[in-house]
Structure formats: C-alpha cells, structure tokens
C-alpha cells in the first residue's frame, strides 16, 4: 500500500486489476450467450412439456451426475492451484493443474460415450428417427446438441488455456506475485463449471 | 489496493468444504427428481443450481474476497438476464 510497492508495479508495466476486469467482462458476454440459449430452452420446454419429458428420458442421469462431480472437483483443483501458487509451491500448483486437465479429459471421454451412444440410436440432428419424432422432441435434441456441444467446446478451449498457463508456470513466468493469467484461466474454468451447473438439471433431471 | 487483494490466500480447507457442499446439493437435486413433487421438482432443481452457482461465484471465483465492484457487476448481469427472462415469458404467457 505504501509508495514503494506502487512504484514496483509501475516499473513492471503490469495491470493485474485491468486483466481481471477484462476477463470478467468477457465472462459476462459468455453468460449472456448461454443465457440466450437457456431462454430458448425455457420457452420451448414451456410450449412442449410432454415431449421434453419423454425426450429427456433418453438421457443417462448417471452419466450426467458423474460429469457434474468431475467438473465440480476440477473447479476445486484449479482454485487450489492459485492458493498453491500464492504459497510459492510451484510443484503443487502444477499437480493441481494437471489434475484439472485430467478431469477435463475424463469429462470429454464421458461426453464422447454419451454422444456416440445417442448417435448409434439414430438420435442426431437431421437423423431419420428425429424427423419422425414430434416437434418438441426435435427441439429438445436440437437444444441438447447445441448447448452441450457449445459447452464441450468451452471445455476444450479451457483445457488449452490451462495448458498454456502450465507452460508459463514451468518457465517461471507465473510467480507468487504475478499470477493474473493463472487467476484468469481459473475464472474461465469456473465459468464452464457454472454453465454445467444449470445444464445438468435442465437436461438430465426433467421429470 | 492491488497488494491487499493478492495477499489474501484462500485455504485449501475452505475449497474442500465448498466442494463437499456442492456435491451434497448435486446429490439432493438428483434425489429430488426421483420424488414426484409435480411442478416443484423444477423449482427445487433450479433453486439448488442457484445456490451452487452462488457458492462457485463467491468462493471459487473469489468474489467474496475481491473488490465489491466485481460482485456488483456480476449481480447486474444476472439481473439483466432475469429481466430478459421475465419479459420473454410475459410475452408468451399474455400474448
């Protein structure tokens, strides 16, 4: 807080506060993007309650629950990696980040089995089965593929981001007093978790 | 100011407790689906999801420990989203 500290920050040409604010503003655009999709989902579900109920029974709740647990744990490990960095424990930071990446990979493997299961049952956009199904079921699976697909894309981007930050940690370019980018990759990962928290009950837990 | 914010270290234990709370809420929402509560099932699931997201935002995303300014911005965005949802549904319900 005294002048000396302030001086150091100016010399380094850094603006951690600005970096974090920028990340949050980007996260807001993401929230509004998914928010729009959630509104589309709510309206169509309101208009086709029975079809959504029937279609949702095709989804595997167990697989969805496992993926929820995976994402929640990975969110915790990336948050812990920031604490580890602040405690100046580089090794532990990297371990937590590696666990996060492995969990993200597990999520994607689950997603692969889930989607390929659906596709082998003939449920995919434009399939014969869906063309014969009701309009509500068509909408449900269209939204299912669009929303979980967009979410999965965010997982892949998040993995790349965290991987890049790991590279910076290894090169000592992220330190206990300079970790804004690590925090930002964490924020992005939590956003992915946040979206899944709403996707899970809306698609897998319909009764 | 910047220094203040960065010297706050969240303990591993705090994160672990938050995770346990999140997992318990997940399992409750799965269990609630099994019971027939009629229209309240969706309400219960969304309420639990909201509690979960508040926990993630406050602790995992550090809003509780950051400057108030971030929390206000996040709340405004959610308020905007809520307004759009209400307006859309008013259109569909009373058109």
């Amino acid at each position: 807080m005294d002048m000396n500290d302030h001086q150091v920050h100016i010399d380094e040409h850094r603006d951690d506060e600005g970096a974090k604010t920028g990340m949050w503003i980007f996260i807001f655009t993401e929230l509004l993007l998914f928010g729009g999709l959630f509104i589309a989902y709510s309206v169509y579900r309101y208009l086709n309650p029975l079809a959504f109920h029937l279609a949702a029974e095709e989804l595997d709740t167990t697989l969805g629950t496992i993926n929820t647990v995976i994402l929640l744990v990975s969110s915790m490990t990336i948050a812990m990696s920031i604490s580890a960095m602040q405690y100046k424990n580089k090794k532990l930071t990297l371990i937590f980040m590696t666990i996060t990446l492995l969990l993200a990979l597990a999520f994607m493997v689950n997603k692969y089995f889930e989607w390929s299961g659906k596709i082998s049952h003939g449920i995919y956009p434009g399939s014969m089965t869906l063309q014969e199904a009701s309009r509500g079921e068509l909408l449900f699976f269209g939204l299912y593929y669009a929303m979980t697909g967009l979410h999965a894309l965010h997982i892949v981007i998040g993995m790349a981001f965290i991987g890049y930050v790991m590279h910076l940690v290894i090169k000592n370019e992220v330190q206990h007093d300079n970790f804004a980018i690590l925090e930002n990759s964490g924020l992005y990962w939590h956003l992915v978790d946040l979206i899944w928290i709403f996707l899970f009950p809306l698609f897998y837990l319909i009764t | 100011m910047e220094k203040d914010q960065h010297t706050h270290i969240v303990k591993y234990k705090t994160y672990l407790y938050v995770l346990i709370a999140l997992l318990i809420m997940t399992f409750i929402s799965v269990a609630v689906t099994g019971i027939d509560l009629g229209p309240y099932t969706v309400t219960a699931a969304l309420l639990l999801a909201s509690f979960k997201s508040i926990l993630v935002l406050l602790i995992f995303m550090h809003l509780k420990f950051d400057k108030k300014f971030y929390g206000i911005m996040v709340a405004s965005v959610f308020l905007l989203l809520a307004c759009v949802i209400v307006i859309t549904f008013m259109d569909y319900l009373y058109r």
Side-chain angles (χ1 to χ4, degrees):
Chain A
M1 276 266 240
D2 60 345
M3 276 315 281
N4 281 337
D5 278 342
H6 202 63
Q7 203 64 44
V8 169
H9 285 289
I10 286 168
D11 286 340
E12 287 178 9
H13 289 289
R14 248 172 58 201
D15 185 1
D16 292 350
E17 194 83 40
K20 193 196 265 184
T21 309
M23 191 66 204
W24 270 111
I25 291 170
F26 171 65
I27 285 174
F28 296 156
T29 70
E30 293 275 47
L31 286 175
L32 293 176
L33 166 69
F34 277 94
L37 288 168
F38 277 120
I39 292 170
Y41 169 92
S42 325
V43 169
Y44 286 131
R45 179 171 170 177
Y46 168 74
L47 296 175
N48 310 281
L50 207 67
F52 268 53
H53 167 71
L54 285 173
E57 284 186 343
E58 294 282 330
L59 297 190
D60 189 340
T61 312
T62 317
L63 217 55
T65 312
I66 292 169
N67 264 355
T68 307
V69 173
I70 287 174
L71 269 197
L72 290 175
V73 175
S74 75
S75 228
M76 179 194 71
T77 52
I78 196 75
M80 281 179 167
S81 78
I82 297 169
S83 294
M85 180 50 86
Q86 286 172 304
Y87 287 128
K88 301 177 192 175
N89 192 337
K90 180 178 164 184
K91 200 177 150 203
L92 197 58
T93 306
L94 288 170
I95 289 172
F96 279 135
M97 291 178 89
T98 310
I99 296 171
T100 310
L101 281 185
L102 289 175
L103 288 168
L105 197 68
F107 181 94
M108 289 306 286
V109 169
N110 260 345
K111 198 96 255 175
Y112 166 77
F113 282 119
E114 201 188 331
W115 274 30
S116 54
K118 289 280 155 309
I119 291 168
S120 70
H121 281 96
I123 301 173
Y124 55 90
S127 74
M128 289 305 285
T129 321
L130 277 191
Q131 279 172 25
E132 284 157 17
S134 70
R135 188 168 170 270
E137 281 171 283
L138 197 65
L139 282 167
F140 178 87
F141 284 109
L143 285 164
Y144 164 75
Y145 276 109
M147 291 173 81
T148 60
L150 193 62
H151 178 263
L153 181 68
H154 279 77
I155 298 259
V156 174
I157 295 169
M159 285 171 78
F161 192 4
I162 291 169
Y164 170 66
V165 177
M166 270 183 88
H167 167 75
L168 293 180
V169 172
I170 291 166
K171 285 204 316 188
N172 287 325
E173 283 178 26
V174 172
Q175 299 268 348
H176 69 95
D177 57 353
N178 177 15
F179 57 90
I181 193 162
L182 174 62
E183 264 190 311
N184 284 349
S185 68
L187 282 177
Y188 188 82
W189 196 251
H190 297 311
L191 164 79
V192 170
D193 186 31
L194 210 59
I195 293 163
W196 185 259
I197 285 177
F198 285 96
L199 283 180
F200 172 62
L202 289 179
F203 281 102
Y204 296 84
L205 297 181
I206 300 184
T207 48
Chain B
M1 288 273 239
E2 220 165 301
K3 197 120 211 299
D4 269 358
Q5 177 188 327
H6 276 180
T7 42
H8 185 96
I9 305 179
V10 185
K11 291 189 183 69
Y12 298 128
K13 239 194 329 198
T14 314
Y15 286 136
L16 192 65
Y17 291 151
V18 169
L19 176 72
I20 291 167
L22 289 170
L23 289 178
I24 289 172
M25 281 194 269
T26 304
F27 293 128
I28 291 174
S29 63
V30 175
V32 163
T33 317
I35 316 163
D36 189 22
L37 293 171
Y40 297 109
T41 316
V42 190
T43 319
L46 285 181
L47 219 61
L48 281 164
S50 306
F51 285 139
K52 280 163 74 178
S53 52
I54 289 168
L55 264 185
V56 169
L57 283 163
L58 284 181
I59 314 293
F60 283 174
M61 295 175 98
H62 290 184
L63 282 182
K64 192 182 165 198
F65 318 106
D66 273 343
K67 284 182 183 169
K68 282 235 160 43
F69 152 72
Y70 291 104
I72 293 167
M73 283 204 303
V74 174
S76 319
V77 169
F78 278 102
L79 194 66
L80 172 68
L81 208 55
C83 288
V84 177
I85 291 172
V86 169
I87 291 167
T88 310
F89 268 90
M90 290 216 316
D91 184 30
Y92 270 94
L93 289 171
Y94 304 109
R95 199 197 298 233

